[in-house]
Amino acid sequence: MSFLQSYTDLVDFSQKSLLLSACAIAFNPTAWNIVARREYRTRFLTKFFGSGQAACYFLAITIFSLGLVRDFLYERALRAQPSHPLLEGTIPTFAGYALLACGNILVISSTWQLGITGTFLGDYCGILMDDIVTGFPFNITNAPMYYGSTMSFLGTALLYGKPAGILITAEVLLVYLIAIQYENPFTAGIYAKREQERAKAGGKKVEAKKEL
């Protein structure tokens, strides 16, 4: 058996469903980051829908819908891929369910903490949170939704017993790590700007009182 054949036994790269799944995974965070940054700079969604809240809910529906499509394509891709004996059996199955449970806990609890607007890029639409969330799951990781989603991808791969799922999970993690490098500094800049504006407003109030 050749080197290429051994890899083909693990992952069937000839399946178009695998490529579609990989493209959807890369597309989603790229798209919502581009749209959200444009919204922050131009307020084009706010102007179109009439308010920042409506713009944020539009982003929420869009991101959630894209996520459903991505998950559908991932599940479809796994069905067309070869299984492997090492990923079948009691231990991989239990590990898969455990990863899915932990992943969903991270995703759901972070959504609960942030709310809809905090979860779906409300700060890009001018809807800023009053304080930084430090409770669970943000006391474990600064990106619980991304890591929780990655765990769910891996858990699904184990439940299906598909090596291709592990490969796609690696792509998911890579894409999310890149997204974090872009999102975190940008979001921090939004809140830093707000603090600067508050500081300036506070200084003006103090000066006004002195004049009185």
Side-chain angles (χ1 to χ4, degrees), residues 127-150:
I127 307 171
L128 275 61
M129 302 191 70
D130 294 330
D131 299 300
I132 296 175
V133 178
T134 57
F136 181 84
F138 292 93
N139 57 353
I140 297 177
T141 171
N142 65 347
M145 294 198 73
Y146 283 166
Y147 292 122
S149 178
T150 302

Short mmCIF file of all heavy atoms in Angstrom, two decimals, residues 127-150:
data_model
loop_
_atom_site.label_atom_id
_atom_site.label_comp_id
_atom_site.label_asym_id
_atom_site.label_seq_id
_atom_site.Cartn_x
_atom_site.Cartn_y
_atom_site.Cartn_z
N ILE A 127 -23.90 48.63 20.52
CA ILE A 127 -24.55 48.14 21.74
C ILE A 127 -23.47 47.53 22.63
O ILE A 127 -23.11 46.35 22.46
CB ILE A 127 -25.64 47.10 21.43
CG1 ILE A 127 -26.61 47.67 20.40
CG2 ILE A 127 -26.37 46.68 22.69
CD1 ILE A 127 -27.59 46.63 19.86
N LEU A 128 -22.95 48.31 23.54
CA LEU A 128 -21.84 47.86 24.37
C LEU A 128 -22.32 47.36 25.73
O LEU A 128 -23.31 47.89 26.27
CB LEU A 128 -20.81 48.98 24.57
CG LEU A 128 -19.77 49.14 23.45
CD1 LEU A 128 -20.42 49.47 22.12
CD2 LEU A 128 -18.74 50.20 23.82
N MET A 129 -21.65 46.37 26.27
CA MET A 129 -21.98 45.86 27.59
C MET A 129 -21.44 46.81 28.65
O MET A 129 -20.44 47.50 28.44
CB MET A 129 -21.41 44.46 27.77
CG MET A 129 -21.90 43.47 26.74
SD MET A 129 -21.46 41.76 27.12
CE MET A 129 -22.51 41.44 28.54
N ASP A 130 -22.11 46.83 29.80
CA ASP A 130 -21.70 47.74 30.87
C ASP A 130 -20.36 47.33 31.47
O ASP A 130 -19.50 48.17 31.73
CB ASP A 130 -22.77 47.77 31.97
CG ASP A 130 -24.07 48.38 31.46
OD1 ASP A 130 -24.00 49.24 30.56
OD2 ASP A 130 -25.13 47.97 31.94
N ASP A 131 -20.18 46.05 31.69
CA ASP A 131 -18.96 45.55 32.32
C ASP A 131 -18.46 44.31 31.60
O ASP A 131 -19.22 43.62 30.91
CB ASP A 131 -19.21 45.21 33.80
CG ASP A 131 -19.64 46.42 34.60
OD1 ASP A 131 -18.87 47.39 34.66
OD2 ASP A 131 -20.77 46.38 35.14
N ILE A 132 -17.19 43.98 31.81
CA ILE A 132 -16.61 42.77 31.25
C ILE A 132 -17.16 41.56 32.00
O ILE A 132 -17.21 41.56 33.23
CB ILE A 132 -15.07 42.80 31.37
CG1 ILE A 132 -14.50 43.96 30.54
CG2 ILE A 132 -14.47 41.48 30.90
CD1 ILE A 132 -13.00 44.13 30.72
N VAL A 133 -17.59 40.57 31.28
CA VAL A 133 -18.11 39.34 31.89
C VAL A 133 -16.94 38.48 32.34
O VAL A 133 -16.07 38.12 31.55
CB VAL A 133 -18.99 38.55 30.90
CG1 VAL A 133 -19.49 37.26 31.54
CG2 VAL A 133 -20.17 39.41 30.44
N THR A 134 -16.91 38.16 33.62
CA THR A 134 -15.80 37.38 34.17
C THR A 134 -16.24 36.04 34.75
O THR A 134 -15.42 35.23 35.14
CB THR A 134 -15.08 38.17 35.27
OG1 THR A 134 -16.04 38.55 36.28
CG2 THR A 134 -14.45 39.43 34.70
N GLY A 135 -17.57 35.81 34.82
CA GLY A 135 -18.07 34.55 35.36
C GLY A 135 -17.95 33.41 34.37
O GLY A 135 -17.51 33.59 33.23
N PHE A 136 -18.34 32.21 34.81
CA PHE A 136 -18.28 31.03 33.95
C PHE A 136 -19.09 31.26 32.68
O PHE A 136 -20.19 31.80 32.75
CB PHE A 136 -18.82 29.82 34.70
CG PHE A 136 -18.79 28.54 33.91
CD1 PHE A 136 -17.64 27.78 33.85
CD2 PHE A 136 -19.90 28.12 33.18
CE1 PHE A 136 -17.60 26.61 33.11
CE2 PHE A 136 -19.86 26.96 32.43
CZ PHE A 136 -18.71 26.20 32.40
N PRO A 137 -18.58 30.88 31.52
CA PRO A 137 -17.33 30.15 31.26
C PRO A 137 -16.13 31.04 30.94
O PRO A 137 -15.09 30.55 30.55
CB PRO A 137 -17.70 29.31 30.04
CG PRO A 137 -18.62 30.22 29.27
CD PRO A 137 -19.41 30.98 30.31
N PHE A 138 -16.31 32.36 31.13
CA PHE A 138 -15.23 33.28 30.76
C PHE A 138 -14.09 33.29 31.78
O PHE A 138 -13.05 33.89 31.52
CB PHE A 138 -15.81 34.69 30.56
CG PHE A 138 -16.70 34.79 29.37
CD1 PHE A 138 -18.06 34.61 29.49
CD2 PHE A 138 -16.18 35.04 28.11
CE1 PHE A 138 -18.90 34.68 28.38
CE2 PHE A 138 -16.99 35.12 26.99
CZ PHE A 138 -18.36 34.93 27.13
N ASN A 139 -14.31 32.65 32.92
CA ASN A 139 -13.21 32.48 33.86
C ASN A 139 -12.35 31.27 33.51
O ASN A 139 -11.33 31.01 34.15
CB ASN A 139 -13.75 32.35 35.29
CG ASN A 139 -14.73 31.19 35.43
OD1 ASN A 139 -15.12 30.56 34.46
ND2 ASN A 139 -15.13 30.92 36.66
N ILE A 140 -12.75 30.53 32.47
CA ILE A 140 -11.98 29.38 31.99
C ILE A 140 -11.22 29.74 30.72
O ILE A 140 -10.05 29.41 30.55
CB ILE A 140 -12.91 28.17 31.74
CG1 ILE A 140 -13.57 27.73 33.04
CG2 ILE A 140 -12.13 27.02 31.10
CD1 ILE A 140 -14.55 26.61 32.86
N THR A 141 -11.91 30.41 29.80
CA THR A 141 -11.31 30.79 28.52
C THR A 141 -11.96 32.08 28.03
O THR A 141 -13.11 32.37 28.38
CB THR A 141 -11.50 29.70 27.46
OG1 THR A 141 -11.09 30.18 26.18
CG2 THR A 141 -12.95 29.27 27.38
N ASN A 142 -11.22 32.86 27.26
CA ASN A 142 -11.78 34.11 26.74
C ASN A 142 -12.60 33.92 25.47
O ASN A 142 -13.17 34.86 24.96
CB ASN A 142 -10.66 35.12 26.48
CG ASN A 142 -9.71 34.68 25.38
OD1 ASN A 142 -9.73 33.51 24.96
ND2 ASN A 142 -8.86 35.57 24.92
N ALA A 143 -12.64 32.68 24.96
CA ALA A 143 -13.41 32.40 23.75
C ALA A 143 -14.18 31.08 23.91
O ALA A 143 -13.96 30.13 23.16
CB ALA A 143 -12.50 32.35 22.54
N PRO A 144 -15.09 31.01 24.88
CA PRO A 144 -15.79 29.74 25.15
C PRO A 144 -16.65 29.26 24.00
O PRO A 144 -16.79 28.05 23.80
CB PRO A 144 -16.64 30.06 26.39
CG PRO A 144 -16.79 31.55 26.37
CD PRO A 144 -15.52 32.07 25.79
N MET A 145 -17.22 30.17 23.21
CA MET A 145 -18.07 29.73 22.10
C MET A 145 -17.23 29.06 21.02
O MET A 145 -17.64 28.05 20.45
CB MET A 145 -18.83 30.92 21.52
CG MET A 145 -19.84 31.53 22.48
SD MET A 145 -21.06 32.55 21.65
CE MET A 145 -22.05 31.32 20.85
N TYR A 146 -16.07 29.62 20.75
CA TYR A 146 -15.21 29.04 19.72
C TYR A 146 -14.66 27.68 20.16
O TYR A 146 -14.67 26.72 19.40
CB TYR A 146 -14.06 30.00 19.40
CG TYR A 146 -14.46 31.16 18.51
CD1 TYR A 146 -13.62 32.26 18.36
CD2 TYR A 146 -15.66 31.16 17.82
CE1 TYR A 146 -13.98 33.33 17.53
CE2 TYR A 146 -16.03 32.21 17.00
CZ TYR A 146 -15.18 33.29 16.87
OH TYR A 146 -15.53 34.33 16.05
N TYR A 147 -14.17 27.62 21.38
CA TYR A 147 -13.62 26.35 21.86
C TYR A 147 -14.71 25.31 22.09
O TYR A 147 -14.51 24.12 21.85
CB TYR A 147 -12.81 26.57 23.14
CG TYR A 147 -11.54 27.36 22.90
CD1 TYR A 147 -11.29 28.55 23.56
CD2 TYR A 147 -10.59 26.91 21.99
CE1 TYR A 147 -10.13 29.28 23.33
CE2 TYR A 147 -9.43 27.64 21.75
CZ TYR A 147 -9.21 28.82 22.42
OH TYR A 147 -8.06 29.54 22.19
N GLY A 148 -15.88 25.78 22.53
CA GLY A 148 -17.00 24.86 22.69
C GLY A 148 -17.45 24.29 21.36
O GLY A 148 -17.75 23.10 21.25
N SER A 149 -17.49 25.13 20.34
CA SER A 149 -17.85 24.68 19.01
C SER A 149 -16.83 23.66 18.48
O SER A 149 -17.20 22.64 17.89
CB SER A 149 -17.94 25.87 18.06
OG SER A 149 -18.23 25.45 16.75
N THR A 150 -15.56 23.94 18.72
CA THR A 150 -14.50 23.02 18.29
C THR A 150 -14.66 21.66 18.96
O THR A 150 -14.52 20.61 18.31
CB THR A 150 -13.11 23.60 18.63
OG1 THR A 150 -12.97 24.88 17.99
CG2 THR A 150 -12.01 22.68 18.14
#
